[in-house]
Amino acid sequence: MKIKGEEKAVVSTQSTGMALLNALCAVPSMESLESHQALSKQFAMILDFVLAFDDLKMTNPSIQNDFSFYRRMRTREKSFANMEEHTVTNEVANRMSMFYAYPTPMLKMLSSTVSTFVQKNDALPLEHTTDILSTMANLCRCMIEDSNIVARFQQKDTVMFVLRVMVGAIILYDHVHPVGAFHRKSCIDIKGSIKLLKEQPAVSVETLLNALRFLLSVPTLAKWSSYEQAKSRLLLVVM
């Protein structure tokens, strides 16, 4: 069933993301990105998949209700007991129900994976992880800002691919950096990144902007030293 496939996708994304972080964050960012270009591309593809998956989830809000209906039917219909090889277990159903309860489930899972990686590798300089993410975000922004680079894209979806990678890297950076991505000391040009998103067709990037707006929650605001600083950063996304 599709549910089984989705659970496998979640587990695979989580384990692959952890493995890529182990390889990419072992050395400083520029050295890593230059010497591990194939791995960097794989990590970018994960970010793209995660943002694209959550985009579909956010534009189909009935998924959670449909899944709840499916779980209720499982408990009522005895016929499910004779379909073990064609259906999912109660454990998997409950786990996926919790997964879909979040607005951006894949992104939450990947953010937790990065946070877990940082916690488990406390001997590794935090800058190795945050610099990888900030460098990827800034490189993506510079690529789209350069019309000559964009003109060389052979597929029309490449721009959205790069934008999703940029936003994904910003969000992961915000989760693990002590002051977050929106702080003035952030290594990411957040103002330039948001400006770039707002220059794109609104229908294409609205979910990406919403993902950034979601970062401006109480946990994120608590990182900032003053209300005025938080307010000024919030206006970047809202206006």
Side-chain angles (χ1 to χ4, degrees):
M1 289 183 67
K2 289 184 178 180
I3 297 174
K4 282 186 176 181
E6 290 169 3
E7 191 210 16
K8 289 180 180 179
V10 173
V11 174
S12 176
T13 302
Q14 188 174 30
S15 60
T16 304
M18 185 69 76
L20 289 172
L21 287 170
N22 273 307
L24 293 172
C25 299
V27 295
S29 62
M30 289 309 299
E31 178 183 347
S32 179
L33 292 175
E34 290 177 359
S35 60
H36 298 98
Q37 294 185 24
L39 297 181
S40 301
K41 181 179 179 180
Q42 288 297 316
F43 191 67
M45 292 175 68
I46 285 181
L47 292 176
D48 173 62
F49 167 73
V50 165
L51 270 294
F53 183 100
D54 286 348
D55 188 1
L56 291 174
K57 163 64 168 58
M58 294 176 73
T59 54
N60 292 274
S62 64
I63 289 178
Q64 182 63 19
N65 291 333
D66 293 343
F67 201 87
S68 296
F69 175 76
Y70 166 76
R71 292 179 64 204
R72 289 195 300 271
M73 290 298 295
R74 282 179 59 91
T75 60
R76 295 177 183 175
E77 298 292 334
K78 293 183 179 180
S79 58
F80 275 104
N82 300 320
M83 297 174 57
E84 291 186 0
E85 63 177 294
H86 302 294
T87 188
V88 297
T89 63
N90 285 327
E91 180 183 0
V92 171
N94 292 337
R95 189 160 56 243
M96 293 306 294
S97 179
M98 292 294 293
F99 173 77
Y100 280 118
Y102 293 96
T104 53
M106 273 289 187
L107 191 55
K108 182 183 183 302
M109 177 275 299
L110 189 59
S111 298
S112 298
T113 299
V114 177
S115 297
T116 300
F117 169 79
V118 171
Q119 293 169 4
K120 287 185 175 181
N121 296 272
D122 54 356
L124 190 71
L126 177 61
E127 291 77 13
H128 283 196
T129 304
T130 56
D131 286 355
I132 282 284
L133 297 171
S134 62
T135 301
M136 290 184 70
N138 290 329
L139 284 174
C140 288
R141 175 182 52 77
C142 291
M143 287 175 64
I144 302 302
E145 287 178 341
D146 191 329
S147 58
N148 293 323
I149 294 178
V150 174
R152 294 202 297 269
F153 290 163
Q154 296 181 353
Q155 299 180 4
K156 62 179 181 179
D157 293 336
T158 303
V159 170
M160 282 307 302
F161 171 85
V162 176
L163 290 175
R164 281 193 289 264
V165 174
M166 179 187 75
V167 171
I170 291 173
I171 292 173
L172 295 183
Y173 178 96
D174 187 76
H175 273 78
V176 296
H177 195 278
V179 297
F182 287 81
H183 195 277
R184 59 184 175 82
K185 293 183 179 180
S186 168
C187 295
I188 294 176
D189 182 0
I190 193 69
K191 186 175 181 179
S193 299
I194 293 173
K195 179 177 180 292
L196 178 65
L197 286 172
K198 291 186 174 182
E199 290 173 351
Q200 312 305 313
V203 66
S204 301
V205 299
E206 184 61 25
T207 54
L208 297 180
L209 284 169
N210 285 337
L212 293 178
R213 291 184 183 110
F214 188 72
L215 290 181
L216 297 168
S217 57
V218 174
T220 301
L221 296 179
K223 295 179 179 180
W224 299 343
S225 59
S226 71
Y227 170 77
E228 288 301 322
Q229 184 182 54
K231 182 179 177 181
S232 65
R233 294 295 175 175
L234 177 61
L235 290 176
L236 289 178
V237 186
V238 174
M239 293 182 65

